């Protein structure tokens, strides 16, 4: 697998309206119909990254609520997403899990919460899709308490053949469909922000990167 051109590795983000339209169309259904194998593979990093948070927790770009089951029941969970269709599925997921989750339709780059509103802010597989991830990360830092944490779980490129090659083949379609920038390095993106990176975690299977950061 050769080195990708710079224009693929550092593509500009899609606009918020484009992303909302994509997820409000058929993507919400497709996104939620993840295979059993993929769910099992993702369970371990999700549990490691989110399984010990507590207090008031904000799930940014919560999508269909995949992270809900990994956040302890003792946490007071709030989820926001740009897409109404994704939030509808997140409500179903919360009901299925028997969880009281406060859900709001909101742009991650313009959170309507006051400063220092949450003990922990979490986000899963979303930084690669935010139109401007640095703005979204700044908002996460703003609404997180000074002694709190921002915990992110993001995908990176497969390093194993043939998965990496297959991933490359689908990268262009994924970008045009939902704005996913596969070749962004999630840890590097966080380091460009004002957040302070405290810990990095990396999984080979699935190819996930976990970042634990604190507000500036």
């Amino acid at each position: 697998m050769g080195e990708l051109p710079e224009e693929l590795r550092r593509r500009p983000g899609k606009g918020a309206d484009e992303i909302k339209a994509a997820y409000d169309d058929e993507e919400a259904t497709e996104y939620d119909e993840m295979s059993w194998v993929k769910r099992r593979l993702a369970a371990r990093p999700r549990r490691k990254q989110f399984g010990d948070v507590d207090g008031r927790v904000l799930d940014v770009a919560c999508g269909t609520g995949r992270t809900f089951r990994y956040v302890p029941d003792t946490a007071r969970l709030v989820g926001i997403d740009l897409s109404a269709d994704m939030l509808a599925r997140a409500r179903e997921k919360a009901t299925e899990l028997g969880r009281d989750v406060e859900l709001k339709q909101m742009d991650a780059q313009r959170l309507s919460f006051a400063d220092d509103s949450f003990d922990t802010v979490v986000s899963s597989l979303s930084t690669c899709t935010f139109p401007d991830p640095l703005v979204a990360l700044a908002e996460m830092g703003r609404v997180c308490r000074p002694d709190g944490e921002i915990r992110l779980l993001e995908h990176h490129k497969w390093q194993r053949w043939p998965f990496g090659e297959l991933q490359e083949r689908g990268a262009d379609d994924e970008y045009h469909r939902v704005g996913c920038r596969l070749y962004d390095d999630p840890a590097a993106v966080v380091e460009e922000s004002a957040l302070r990176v405290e810990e990095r975690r990396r999984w080979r299977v699935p190819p996930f990167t976990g970042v634990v950061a604190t507000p500036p």
Side-chain angles (χ1 to χ4, degrees), residues 26-29 46 53 55 58 78 111 118 121 131 161 173 198:
E26 299 179 1
E27 187 63 26
T29 301
R46 288 182 189 274
V53 300
L58 174 64
V78 179
L111 298 176
F118 296 91
V121 179
W161 186 89
D173 176 68
E198 304 292 345

Side-chain angles (χ1 to χ4, degrees), residues 34-149:
M34 179 190 281
S35 73
W36 177 84
V37 173
K38 288 183 178 179
R39 287 198 299 269
R40 288 296 299 270
L41 287 174
R44 185 167 61 95
R46 288 182 189 274
R47 190 173 291 111
K48 174 68 174 178
Q49 196 70 354
F50 308 127
D52 61 347
V53 300
D54 206 354
R56 193 168 188 233
V57 178
L58 174 64
D59 187 353
V60 175
C62 66
T64 60
R66 287 184 189 172
T67 296
F68 294 172
R69 71 171 64 248
Y70 302 103
V71 175
D73 291 340
T74 54
R76 301 185 305 280
L77 187 56
V78 179
I80 68 103
D81 201 274
L82 194 61
S83 164
D85 286 2
M86 299 290 264
L87 286 172
R89 288 187 171 270
R91 289 189 184 93
E92 294 174 3
K93 178 62 68 178
T95 300
E96 176 188 319
L97 295 171
R99 295 209 58 164
D100 182 15
V101 182
E102 182 182 350
L103 294 168
K104 296 177 178 290
Q105 187 173 7
M106 197 179 300
D107 187 342
Q109 298 183 178
R110 291 191 294 273
L111 298 176
S112 63
F113 304 108
D115 296 357
D116 310 334
S117 295
F118 296 91
D119 299 290
T120 309
V121 179
V122 304
S123 193
S124 178
L125 308 182
S126 57
T127 302
C128 62
T129 307
F130 293 139
D132 189 334
L134 297 183
V135 173
L137 291 170
E139 279 291 271
M140 293 184 205
R142 179 184 67 78
V143 301
C144 186
R145 290 165 54 98
D147 58 349
E149 290 182 337

Side-chain angles (χ1 to χ4, degrees), residues 186-195 197 200:
V189 172
V190 179
E191 286 172 351
E192 289 179 27
S193 76
L195 302 181
V197 176
R200 299 173 187 80

